[in-house]
Amino acid sequence: SSYFGIEDASDSNTVALAIAHSTQRVGINDTSPSAQLDVNGNLQVQSHITASNNIKGGGDLELTSANASVKFDGGTNLSVTIHQMGFK
């Protein structure tokens, strides 16, 4: 596919960021993005993720905070752990 790319010069000039000409989709470590933003690798967010529709994933889902955690293994197992709880 035809794209504008920014290469990682320290790693054999591998394309790190690509924008597909025909679709205007952006790929991070992906030269053929299949969504508006396609990330091939881990995503770390320091603040909030807001979605107006479904959030989908394959594999485990784990949500943690200082006080509780919820883990769903993608099958039938759901675990909830409350680390500390204060009541008034």
Side-chain angles (χ1 to χ4, degrees):
S1 81
S2 176
Y3 60 86
F4 165 81
I6 298 174
E7 295 179 344
D8 178 359
S10 67
D11 188 285
S12 310
N13 295 330
T14 302
V15 175
L17 178 69
I19 302 172
H21 287 147
S22 61
T23 61
Q24 302 302 307
R25 293 177 175 166
V26 176
I28 298 175
N29 292 329
D30 186 348
T31 58
S32 300
S34 59
Q36 285 303 110
L37 175 61
D38 199 336
V39 178
N40 181 9
N42 294 329
L43 178 67
Q44 182 171 327
V45 178
Q46 297 299 325
S47 189
H48 297 85
I49 296 175
T50 303
S52 60
N53 210 328
N54 296 330
I55 297 176
K56 298 179 182 181
D60 294 351
L61 169 67
E62 189 167 352
L63 307 171
T64 60
S65 72
N67 299 323
S69 65
V70 176
K71 184 172 184 179
F72 178 62
D73 70 3
T76 59
N77 298 312
L78 174 66
S79 63
V80 177
T81 304
I82 298 173
H83 303 291
Q84 91 185 46
M85 192 83 156
F87 292 98
K88 291 185 176 189

